[in-house]
Amino acid sequence: IFGNDPLAEPGQVEKIFGVQNLPLKAAKDLDAIIYLVPHREFQKLTLAELKNKCKNKAVLFDLRWQFDKEEAEKLGFRYLTL
């Protein structure tokens, strides 16, 4: 488990969430992605790019309604939102 917030102050992610703040390029073989903060860097990501970082049947929990559910499911994500 790790977080990625390119705008967070050093140590902020670790303090608030208790996980390391690693660069997105470090992501691989993920079981799940929680899309929580709509930074510009994240809005540029495509579902295909995210899927390339995941295992099969990964969960995409899209808290910002950034992605299309049908497209996500076609790529093999289990798509969840609030």
Side-chain angles (χ1 to χ4, degrees), residues 3-62:
N4 174 256
D5 188 340
L7 304 180
E9 297 291 324
Q12 188 177 22
V13 171
E14 292 86 347
K15 182 179 179 182
I16 295 170
F17 298 106
V19 297
Q20 285 184 293
N21 188 20
L22 299 176
L24 193 57
K25 64 183 175 187
K28 62 181 179 179
D29 297 326
L30 302 176
D31 293 310
I33 295 172
I34 301 172
Y35 185 85
L36 181 62
V37 182
H39 294 318
R40 268 188 242 138
E41 293 88 345
F42 298 151
Q43 291 176 354
K44 295 176 187 176
L45 293 170
T46 67
L47 282 168
E49 289 171 314
L50 292 177
K51 185 62 180 166
N52 285 334
K53 298 179 176 298
C54 296
K55 295 179 181 177
N56 288 335
K57 308 284 183 181
V59 175
L60 175 58
F61 196 9
D62 184 4

